[in-house]
Amino acid sequence: MGGNKSVKVYVPTRGTGSLPFEGLAQLVSATVIKVNFPPDTLPRNVDPRGEFKLAIVSAGPTISVHGHVRQVVNDRQLLLEATEAYEHPQKREHFRIDVDVPVRYWRCSDEPDYIPELFRAPSERINLSGGGMMFTAEFAPAVGQKLGFELSIPGPPRTLVRCEGRVLRVVERGANAWGVAVHFIDLDDEDQETLISFCFSEQRRQLRTKVEVAGLR
C-alpha cells in the first residue's frame, strides 16, 4: 500500500454496529494502517477495541483487510492494526466453495399485503460465493424469479445475512428437491464482505483438514 489509497472502512461503534466511511489510508508499518477521514465524519462512539473491515477502492482485484482498531487519534484519524488481508476478484467473479450453512428462503412479491411463506432448505450443504449460491429447494422456482434469503453464517459470532437473489438455473435432484442457482441482487457491502471472509476462512480450514488427513502435519 504505497502512498495514500482511497478506502472504505467499516468502523466499529458502540451501540450502532459497524458503519461505513470513506477515507485515505497510508501504511505506517508492516501491520499498522493510518486512515484519515474528512472533518466531522467519524462518530463519537467509535469502539477503540472493535474489529474493522477495510476495502481498497481501486481498479482490478479488491483488497480486503480485517483487524482491530489500535488507536482513535482524533475525530478524523484512526490507527488500525491489520490481522488478515486477502485479494479477491471483481464482484461477478467470486470463487465458490461447498459449505454447511442453514438457509431460509421465500418468494418475493411487490404486492403490498403479501405475506411470504418461509421455507427451510432441506440440506445445509450449499455452494456459496460473495455473489451467489447453489442451494436445495423444496419447489422449482422459475428462472428469473426473485427469492428472499436468510443465511446463518457460522461464527463466532454467528451472523445472519439477509438478501435477495434472482434465479439463474434450476436442476431436478429427486423427489421434491431441486438445485437452484441464484445471483444475489440485494446484498449490502458489509454482508458481502462477511460472505467473502467466511468463504476464505472455510477454504483455509478445509485445506488444513486435508493436510492433516493426509498425515502431512
Side-chain angles (χ1 to χ4, degrees):
M1 187 188 291
N4 291 323
K5 295 288 187 180
S6 178
V7 297
K8 176 181 284 187
V9 186
Y10 288 90
V11 177
T13 63
R14 293 185 294 266
T16 52
S18 295
L19 301 175
F21 299 97
E22 302 281 346
L24 290 176
Q26 183 178 13
L27 196 62
V28 177
S29 69
T31 60
V32 178
I33 303 169
K34 178 175 66 177
V35 184
N36 291 306
F37 300 90
D40 302 320
T41 296
L42 289 177
R44 295 184 178 181
N45 61 334
V46 173
D47 185 351
R49 293 178 297 276
E51 297 183 358
F52 74 88
K53 297 177 183 179
L54 179 151
I56 298 177
V57 181
S58 63
T62 299
I63 307 297
S64 295
V65 181
H66 295 186
H68 296 83
V69 175
R70 179 169 177 170
Q71 181 183 358
V72 181
V73 180
N74 52 46
D75 60 0
R76 56 181 302 184
Q77 187 179 99
L78 297 178
L79 286 182
L80 308 176
E81 182 81 33
T83 57
E84 181 181 21
Y86 54 86
E87 178 180 290
H88 56 83
Q90 296 293 342
K91 292 184 178 181
R92 286 179 284 184
E93 300 174 353
H94 297 299
F95 80 93
R96 294 179 174 270
I97 187 169
D98 292 328
V99 290
D100 291 320
V101 172
V103 175
R104 295 204 304 172
Y105 62 100
W106 56 92
R107 298 179 179 91
C108 294
S109 174
D110 295 328
E111 295 294 328
D113 298 327
Y114 176 71
I115 300 176
E117 179 183 3
L118 298 181
F119 298 87
R120 182 178 295 275
S123 171
E124 292 187 359
R125 197 66 172 173
I126 66 174
N127 187 254
L128 179 67
S129 79
M133 69 176 174
M134 182 84 162
F135 75 106
T136 301
E138 298 179 11
F139 62 89
V143 172
Q145 183 176 353
K146 190 163 66 172
L147 301 176
F149 295 97
E150 181 182 86
L151 285 70
S152 182
I153 306 299
R158 182 171 292 272
T159 303
L160 289 180
V161 172
R162 296 181 177 87
C163 62
E164 293 181 356
R166 195 170 299 280
V167 176
L168 301 178
R169 188 171 74 258
V170 179
V171 180
E172 189 172 358
R173 287 183 171 172
N176 300 319
W178 288 264
V180 180
V182 298
H183 171 65
F184 296 139
I185 57 174
D186 184 14
L187 178 66
D188 67 37
D189 290 343
E190 185 172 8
D191 282 341
Q192 186 175 57
E193 284 295 319
T194 296
L195 295 183
I196 293 170
S197 179
F198 171 68
C199 287
F200 271 93
S201 175
E202 275 298 294
Q203 183 190 49
R204 289 192 295 270
R205 185 191 65 79
Q206 291 178 18
L207 287 174
R208 285 196 303 269
T209 300
K210 290 179 181 178
V211 169
E212 291 171 358
V213 169
L216 299 178
R217 184 176 176 180

